[in-house]
Amino acid sequence: MVTLNSATVSQIDVPGLHLPSYPLEDRRVGIVHFGVGGFHRAHQALYLDRLFCSGHLPQWAVCGVGLMPGDAAMRDALNAQDGLYTLTAKAPDGSRDSRVIGSIAEFLYAPDDPAAVLERLCDPAVRIVSLTVTEGGYNYSPTTGEFQDTTPAVAADLAANFDAGDTPSTMFGYVVEALRRRRTKGVPPFTVLSCDNVRGNGNLAQRMVIAYAERKDHQAAEPIAGWIAQHVAFPNTMVDRITPRTSEADRHMVRADYGIEDAWPVVSEDFLQWVIEDNFPQGRPAFEEVGVQMVEDVEPYELMKLRLLNCSHQAIAYLGLLLGHTYAHEAVQDSDLAYFARYLYMDREGTPAVPEVPGIQLDEYKEQLMSRFGNEHVRDTLARLAEESSDRIPTWLVPVIRENLASGRDVSGSAAIVASWARYAEGVGENGERWPVADRLRDQVMSAAAHHGRDQLAFIRQTELFGNLAENPDFAEPYISALTTLRERGARALLRDLIQAT
């Protein structure tokens, strides 16, 4: 058994396991990444590893930065292994592609040493700061689009005096303070590269970073917000790879099959896609050489992914759990739920809200999605798909609902998805199952769901999540119908009613 690190990786000799072909000691940090989780390590870090293995010097290696308490475990795992970890991509036919990834050269847990994070961000060699901070990490209202400056961590950073020795605690605080210091030192600004599942993620990151900077400027001798708006690039991206949470079975697989002790391996599906707006004033890795699509306009790809893949994940998540399923592949093996996701949502409501996508046949894409969802080797849990719904449904599905309502199109499928979230948020299943509602607004959404008996519209009266949808009868009526059926007759009855009505 080999404990994975840079000193032992050369001892590994396992057929079919790819190893870094570049000297690990030559890695130089060119990218700082906030939010190192399974997805980043299965996606962006993989592309960089491929690039380095193709012969490019590893001058774009990653320094990961963790801000949240849970990131301390990632610090411990990656630092003990010199940034190395195993990634196994599993295909629907059971075949696997496994490799040791070496593109993360450093990991800094910000609460340990904030000054070290700022020093790295100010390094002239760092020309990109990338983000996977989740939909909620941009600190904006999904209904108004406004920056929320009263959340405790952001408010603390706005009140802090970094010149007097205070230190940041948020992504906004670190990014803006680093840009301020780079300007002072005459160091060109880095590009901010969002890799999160939100529409116009680069545009959103730009608006929120500038909004934070504008508020910070109130106490600054030399304002920074206008300089950021003029000099910092925020390209839009679309990212795609289903990456479930690492399980103990995954660790056992790595030990048993490869003889490697890896504290935090990653398992993903075999599908992989990254589309990036080509806007990097200070340079970038040769992404296009390893399969990244560099384009002028990301939006069509992004809307396709958000409105077909991400929304369909929500379509199967809550209804699947209510039906007693555990995994995504079980949900799409259920003929009623598969029909609902593929035809009633994807075809009737999702597709009309997707523009023409260059080089993509949407029917083929939708069939591919169902195949990906059905990959039983990935074992993606419905519980994972149902997490943080208050960030996901308003960001992904509510815009689809609004566009379809504005065009006079049917929204009964989307109403059923929202109703299934509302029913799930009651916290108790049809057979008495209890599940944790993992959501940053858990108390709020569960409190709203607890009022269903007295007010059928209580859940969608949360205006910060749904705006005025409760007042629109074209949505409220199918929503009430779906919720009533879910509460009185169950998820199976709702699905069959919807299918019968088509």
Side-chain angles (χ1 to χ4, degrees):
M1 189 70 61
V2 174
T3 299
L4 187 61
N5 57 53
S6 58
T8 62
V9 68
S10 61
Q11 303 171 18
I12 300 170
D13 184 14
V14 181
L17 178 66
H18 307 281
L19 302 175
S21 60
Y22 48 94
L24 296 173
E25 62 272 17
D26 288 350
R27 293 178 295 181
R28 298 292 181 269
V29 171
I31 299 173
V32 171
H33 183 83
F34 284 89
V36 176
F39 178 76
H40 170 71
R41 296 193 292 144
H43 193 271
Q44 297 99 29
L46 168 62
Y47 279 108
L48 290 167
D49 185 77
R50 285 180 174 178
L51 189 66
F52 303 158
C53 285
S54 74
H56 285 261
L57 293 175
Q59 63 178 336
W60 292 100
V62 174
C63 168
V65 174
L67 299 174
M68 308 302 289
D71 293 327
M74 187 65 72
R75 170 202 62 195
D76 296 342
L78 287 182
N79 287 346
Q81 297 177 182
D82 300 316
L84 301 176
Y85 60 93
T86 54
L87 168 63
T88 298
K90 297 184 175 182
D93 64 5
S95 61
R96 301 189 312 214
D97 178 82
S98 296
R99 59 188 61 235
V100 173
I101 304 296
S103 55
I104 299 178
E106 180 180 49
F107 186 92
L108 299 175
Y109 181 55
D112 286 342
D113 192 349
V117 176
L118 285 169
E119 182 179 0
R120 178 59 77 188
L121 287 166
C122 292
D123 182 350
V126 171
R127 289 180 279 167
I128 296 173
V129 171
S130 54
L131 313 171
T132 48
V133 295
T134 77
E135 299 82 3
Y138 294 88
N139 213 60
Y140 75 108
S141 165
T143 52
T144 67
E146 296 298 316
F147 184 70
Q148 298 176 314
D149 56 13
T150 59
T151 54
V154 168
D157 273 4
L158 288 172
N161 185 341
F162 300 139
D163 286 329
D166 293 341
T167 55
S169 61
T170 69
M171 175 271 289
F172 299 103
Y174 278 105
V175 167
V176 172
E177 178 61 13
L179 287 169
R180 184 181 73 86
R181 294 183 183 191
R182 288 174 77 112
R183 182 185 65 174
T184 299
K185 296 176 181 178
V187 177
F190 44 68
T191 293
V192 178
L193 182 67
S194 171
C195 301
D196 282 297
N197 284 315
V198 290
R199 181 178 182 179
N201 54 12
N203 298 335
L204 176 66
Q206 181 182 45
R207 292 200 311 274
M208 296 305 107
V209 167
I210 291 174
Y212 169 91
E214 287 173 342
R215 288 157 175 79
K216 195 70 178 171
D217 280 350
H218 292 314
Q219 65 180 32
E222 298 182 34
I224 188 72
W227 184 85
I228 292 174
Q230 183 176 358
H231 295 286
V232 180
F234 293 81
N236 292 301
T237 71
M238 183 271 263
V239 298
D240 194 1
R241 182 167 238 190
I242 295 171
T243 309
R245 188 171 286 111
T246 300
S247 69
E248 195 53 46
D250 298 327
R251 293 182 175 88
H252 176 76
M253 180 268 292
V254 172
R255 287 193 294 265
D257 294 356
Y258 305 124
I260 295 174
E261 191 67 47
D262 184 349
W264 208 326
V266 183
V267 169
S268 73
E269 65 168 337
D270 60 333
F271 181 89
L272 182 67
Q273 188 176 22
W274 198 4
V275 184
I276 307 178
E277 178 186 351
D278 200 354
N279 180 19
F280 293 81
Q282 305 307 322
R284 62 168 175 79
F287 287 128
E288 67 278 6
E289 294 187 18
V290 286
V292 179
Q293 295 167 261
M294 305 301 299
V295 301
E296 292 184 7
D297 184 10
V298 170
E299 186 176 48
Y301 301 91
E302 161 185 276
L303 291 178
M304 173 186 72
K305 195 257 181 170
L306 292 173
R307 295 180 172 186
L308 295 178
L309 186 152
N310 293 113
C311 288
S312 295
H313 263 162
Q314 305 311 110
I316 66 173
Y318 319 106
L319 287 166
L321 288 167
L322 290 166
L323 290 166
H325 302 309
T326 300
Y327 296 101
H329 69 267
E330 294 173 338
V332 297
Q333 289 167 1
D334 183 309
S335 59
D336 292 334
L337 187 48
Y339 187 92
F340 171 75
R342 173 65 180 83
Y343 300 106
L344 300 190
Y345 174 72
M346 283 192 198
D347 277 358
R348 294 180 58 186
E349 300 181 30
T351 299
V354 175
E356 182 177 349
V357 187
I360 301 290
Q361 295 293 326
L362 287 185
D363 284 340
E364 293 178 7
Y365 179 78
K366 288 180 284 189
E367 286 303 311
Q368 184 182 48
L369 287 183
M370 296 302 290
S371 175
R372 291 169 62 191
F373 294 169
N375 186 341
E376 63 185 86
H377 304 286
V378 173
R379 300 184 73 76
D380 198 13
T381 65
L382 297 175
R384 183 187 77 87
L385 301 182
E387 291 177 353
E388 303 303 336
S389 306
S390 64
D391 290 330
R392 296 173 173 182
I393 292 287
T395 302
W396 301 340
L397 185 61
V398 169
V400 176
I401 294 169
R402 293 197 181 282
E403 286 192 24
N404 284 332
L405 287 171
S407 299
R409 294 190 289 261
D410 181 59
V411 294
S412 57
S414 298
I417 297 171
V418 175
S420 69
W421 175 28
R423 173 67 183 86
Y424 164 82
E426 293 180 6
V428 181
E430 295 177 9
N431 297 308
E433 313 98 321
R434 292 186 177 272
W435 42 63
V437 177
D439 196 294
R440 67 183 180 87
L441 299 182
R442 179 182 184 275
D443 292 344
Q444 174 183 315
V445 298
M446 292 192 75
S447 175
H451 288 83
H452 284 153
R454 297 188 294 277
D455 179 3
Q456 292 175 304
L457 293 175
F459 197 79
I460 61 170
R461 292 193 199 280
Q462 299 175 87
T463 54
E464 70 273 36
L465 302 181
F466 300 104
N468 62 354
L469 284 181
E471 301 168 13
N472 188 322
D474 291 332
F475 178 79
E477 290 174 8
Y479 168 81
I480 289 172
S481 176
L483 182 61
T484 300
T485 301
L486 284 169
R487 301 189 75 231
E488 295 180 358
R489 297 166 50 220
R492 182 70 62 192
L494 173 61
L495 290 172
R496 291 184 174 170
D497 284 354
L498 291 168
I499 292 168
Q500 183 66 33
T502 60

